Amino acid sequence: MNEKRPFIIIFIGGINVLIALISILLSIFPDLLESLSFSAIPLPVFSHDIMNIVLFIILLIASYGFLKLKKWGYWTMITYSTFFLLVYIIWCLQNKHLFLSTNFMLTFIELIFILRTKKYFYEEKFHS
């Protein structure tokens, strides 16, 4: 498999690997986020640490499949991004906040770019 990946796929996959590593780092050092004056949206399922580990593993697997141009990687990235968009929307509705948070906007933009890369996952061979 000696094909070149488009820059957008490398960028999205690399950013998601970085997000996964930061997520696991924040699980190891839970007070780091608060000491930097940031707040996290807690997920109401299981404990926060278990969810961080599960989401870390899912994001690493999705990023790997996305970077390797696997169809399941493409669909896992879409599912992961859609899940977080829904979490942000529900959180904003429950807490009466605007949807213009940084996480919401970045996830929305990422999802738009992921959807535009579909052709690279469904072509047998492509030339860049």
Side-chain angles (χ1 to χ4, degrees):
M1 191 176 229
N2 192 11
E3 36 189 53
K4 290 186 174 186
R5 285 178 215 82
F7 174 74
I8 190 68
I9 290 177
I10 295 170
F11 182 74
I12 292 171
I15 289 293
N16 283 314
V17 169
L18 182 64
I19 290 170
L21 294 176
I22 289 172
S23 168
I24 201 67
L25 180 70
L26 292 176
S27 291
I28 295 170
F29 303 107
D31 296 332
L32 180 65
L33 197 61
E34 291 175 7
S35 69
L36 297 172
S37 300
F38 290 105
S39 61
I41 300 174
L43 296 174
V45 184
F46 303 117
S47 76
H48 192 295
D49 294 332
I50 291 173
M51 281 307 292
N52 270 349
I53 293 170
V54 168
L55 292 174
F56 161 75
I57 292 169
I58 291 171
L59 188 56
L60 276 183
I61 291 170
S63 297
Y64 173 79
F66 193 77
L67 286 169
K68 292 293 184 178
L69 299 174
K70 303 291 184 186
K71 291 178 188 174
W72 59 264
Y74 172 77
W75 288 108
T76 307
M77 289 294 283
I78 288 176
T79 305
Y80 187 87
S81 296
T82 304
F83 169 75
F84 272 102
L85 274 180
L86 291 175
V87 167
Y88 296 140
I89 290 170
I90 291 168
W91 183 81
C92 287
L93 290 174
Q94 287 178 346
N95 296 309
K96 297 180 176 62
H97 287 281
L98 294 174
F99 291 113
L100 300 177
S101 72
T102 307
N103 288 336
F104 177 79
M105 297 303 286
L106 289 176
T107 304
F108 185 72
I109 291 168
E110 178 186 45
L111 186 58
I112 289 171
F113 280 112
I114 289 171
L115 290 172
R116 296 189 62 177
T117 62
K118 182 177 181 178
K119 63 183 174 187
Y120 300 112
F121 294 90
Y122 282 92
E123 291 179 1
E124 290 300 318
K125 294 181 181 177
F126 69 92
H127 303 286
S128 244

